[in-house]
Amino acid sequence: MTDIGGRAWELVLRTIEADLLSGSLKPGDHLPPERTLAAELQVGRSSVREALRVLEALGLIRTQTGSGPGAGAIITAAPSGGLGTLMRLQVAATGFAVADIVKTRVLLETAVARELANAAPVPDLQASATLLDAMDELGLTPEEFLALDAAFHVSLADASGNQVVAAIMSGLRTSIEGYVQAGVPSLPSWDATAEQLRGEHRAILRAVTGGDPDVAAARINSHITGYYTATSLPLHERN
Amino acid sequence: MTDIGGRAWELVLRTIEADLLSGSLKPGDHLPPERTLAAELQVGRSSVREALRVLEALGLIRTQTGSGPGAGAIITAAPSGGLGTLMRLQVAATGFAVADIVKTRVLLETAVARELANAAPVPDLQASATLLDAMDELGLTPEEFLALDAAFHVSLADASGNQVVAAIMSGLRTSIEGYVQAGVPSLPSWDATAEQLRGEHRAILRAVTGGDPDVAAARINSHITGYYTATSLPLHERN
């Protein structure tokens, strides 16, 4: 199969993908060593290594150095990390319109808020609450505050239990951080905005834990769109 | 920087990513040749090649063979392809619960239907209509039919103009194809189901072009959940 030349790495990638799809490779499993894969697929070791890099960048395997029994790549279950890498790169290359990110956030996050408020028993929101406590600390820069802010929103999606929405939100996290930080200079007072955001976050969490889906959804909607309006970003679509 | 050893490819990836983020690399631009990148970053050419494979698998660059002026990788704007690759692999490695895919579809696609029905002027739905015509052809296998079906749903998201939702739907396409095809054997009659799906698709498109957002959203909701119920897949969450 070496005659496909520069595409040999794709053969390796497709082979491993097929093994994942069929279930013969599962999270926790080790991949065969590079030289074994190269021999089995009749490609060069450099092609195997290229394919492994792709899988690693997607967060699907973790490679380890050394040659003991623990050497070789392990299949990991890290969808968010991989999606994060991808979306970060994508946004860089193609530039999602901020209006589209905001609209998609409202759509996904109001649904998350409703789901959490309706859930029985009350879902575990300790991770979200811990992030809000961290945002109460004095002396945070806007960058630090807004990174915690984006993490708070992702944590709600995680708590909702919908893996697909959680993966999407995790993938959008860097985009969210990007546009909210870009808006900071246009705020009249960062301290006043930070105080307002802290209050809105607590109010969202109260509505969720209080089991009020309509209020929770309305609060997260006005929280997201309010910041967007306050930072005077253009609300229309990009053409 | 060669002392970072096996992580040299990550340095290359981060460097190119930073150039994309800063805008100094844009879609259509050529990357410098491998040997130039290797010399500039003081890493081996194999590390450069590994990083390029990652970018290529993500759909962000297209590499070309040869050494003329057109040689070298070109930055492409192909978010869907990249996201598709990622999500396909992710689903293989981690297995999104079908119930989560269905819930996320309903959330995103009812919003898409509303947006399309509200849009003025009426959006261009030629791509969607062409797919429906293709699904009228006799002799399609269930696999062929359902691949066109998934493409129809992605085409509506594309037409809505929300790039983020379109990228997400494109990324979910293989997952969607996967679960709808897995349901075929449990249908009493494929021919009857295909006929019903054809009618539902046309009715969705009529509501959208007729400018009726509520009907469009209700039809796409019952279309998605109806098939899911008919194929008797468990509607509860995966634990």
Side-chain angles (χ1 to χ4, degrees):
Chain A
M1 301 223 186
T2 41
D3 61 345
I4 66 171
R7 308 279 92 178
W9 68 278
E10 290 189 323
L11 170 68
V12 181
L13 192 63
R14 279 199 306 273
T15 304
I16 296 174
E17 185 187 355
D19 286 345
L20 289 165
L21 281 166
S22 73
S24 61
L25 276 179
K26 297 177 300 299
D29 287 352
H30 282 260
L31 283 180
E34 275 177 26
R35 63 179 175 284
T36 309
L37 282 170
E40 279 177 5
L41 300 171
Q42 298 185 269
V43 299
R45 285 185 64 166
S46 66
S47 298
V48 173
R49 211 171 300 127
E50 289 167 22
L52 296 184
R53 289 302 166 257
V54 173
L55 292 165
E56 186 164 7
L58 294 176
L60 296 169
I61 64 169
R62 196 176 57 234
T63 56
Q64 297 171 105
T65 50
S67 57
I74 290 183
I75 309 289
T76 53
S80 338
L83 193 57
T85 298
L86 176 80
M87 297 288 272
R88 193 165 69 239
L89 287 161
Q90 276 187 342
V91 168
T94 69
F96 283 138
V98 173
D100 288 349
I101 302 173
V102 171
K103 275 159 64 176
T104 309
R105 281 191 72 183
V106 168
L107 185 61
L108 296 171
E109 297 194 48
T110 54
V112 162
R114 282 183 186 284
E115 191 132 359
L116 288 171
N118 279 323
V122 175
D124 180 6
L125 294 168
Q126 189 53 51
S128 309
T130 302
L131 286 164
L132 294 191
D133 289 344
M135 292 164 78
D136 284 343
E137 279 181 36
L138 299 174
L140 292 178
T141 64
E143 288 69 29
E144 290 165 337
F145 183 97
L146 292 170
L148 293 167
D149 191 335
F152 168 73
H153 287 269
V154 174
S155 77
L156 292 178
D158 288 341
S160 80
N162 183 323
Q163 304 169 310
V164 179
V165 170
I168 294 167
M169 279 297 296
S170 178
L172 288 175
R173 177 179 167 155
T174 313
S175 307
I176 293 170
E177 271 191 55
Y179 86 79
V180 294
Q181 296 200 354
V184 170
S186 59
L187 292 167
S189 156
W190 164 251
D191 287 343
T193 298
E195 199 49 42
Q196 184 184 338
L197 295 176
R198 281 192 198 98
E200 289 174 0
H201 288 146
R202 297 282 181 191
I204 290 165
L205 220 52
R206 273 198 306 278
V208 163
T209 53
D212 196 330
D214 289 342
V215 171
R219 282 182 184 168
I220 207 152
N221 185 344
S222 67
H223 170 65
I224 295 168
T225 54
Y227 184 88
Y228 186 49
T229 309
T231 51
S232 313
L233 296 161
L235 197 56
H236 55 77
E237 300 276 336
R238 193 180 67 162
N239 289 313
Chain B
M1 304 222 186
T2 41
D3 60 346
I4 67 170
R7 307 280 91 177
W9 68 277
E10 289 190 324
L11 169 69
V12 181
L13 191 65
R14 279 199 305 273
T15 303
I16 296 173
E17 184 186 356
D19 286 346
L20 289 165
L21 281 165
S22 74
S24 61
L25 276 180
K26 297 176 301 296
D29 288 351
H30 282 261
L31 282 181
E34 276 178 23
R35 63 179 175 283
T36 310
L37 282 171
E40 279 178 5
L41 300 171
Q42 298 186 268
V43 299
R45 285 185 65 167
S46 66
S47 298
V48 172
R49 212 171 299 127
E50 289 168 22
L52 296 183
R53 290 301 166 258
V54 173
L55 292 165
E56 186 163 8
L58 294 176
L60 295 169
I61 65 170
R62 197 176 55 237
T63 57
Q64 296 172 103
T65 50
S67 56
I74 291 183
I75 309 290
T76 53
S80 341
L83 194 55
T85 298
L86 176 79
M87 298 286 271
R88 194 166 68 241
L89 288 161
Q90 276 187 344
V91 169
T94 68
F96 283 136
V98 173
D100 289 348
I101 301 172
V102 171
K103 274 157 67 175
T104 308
R105 281 191 73 181
V106 169
L107 185 62
L108 296 170
E109 297 194 48
T110 54
V112 162
R114 283 183 185 284
E115 191 134 357
L116 288 170
N118 279 323
V122 175
D124 180 5
L125 293 167
Q126 190 52 53
S128 309
T130 302
L131 286 163
L132 294 191
D133 289 345
M135 292 164 78
D136 284 342
E137 278 180 39
L138 298 173
L140 292 178
T141 64
E143 287 69 29
E144 290 165 338
F145 183 97
L146 292 171
L148 293 167
D149 190 335
F152 168 73
H153 287 270
V154 174
S155 77
L156 292 178
D158 287 341
S160 80
N162 184 323
Q163 303 168 311
V164 179
V165 170
I168 295 167
M169 278 299 295
S170 178
L172 288 175
R173 177 177 167 157
T174 313
S175 308
I176 293 170
E177 272 191 53
Y179 87 78
V180 294
Q181 296 199 356
V184 169
S186 60
L187 292 167
S189 156
W190 165 251
D191 287 344
T193 298
E195 199 50 40
Q196 185 184 338
L197 295 175
R198 282 191 196 97
E200 289 175 357
H201 287 146
R202 297 281 180 193
I204 290 165
L205 220 52
R206 274 199 307 279
V208 163
T209 53
D212 197 330
D214 289 343
V215 171
R219 283 184 182 166
I220 208 151
N221 185 345
S222 67
H223 170 66
I224 295 168
T225 54
Y227 184 88
Y228 186 48
T229 309
T231 51
S232 312
L233 295 161
L235 196 57
H236 55 77
E237 298 277 337
R238 192 180 70 160
N239 289 315

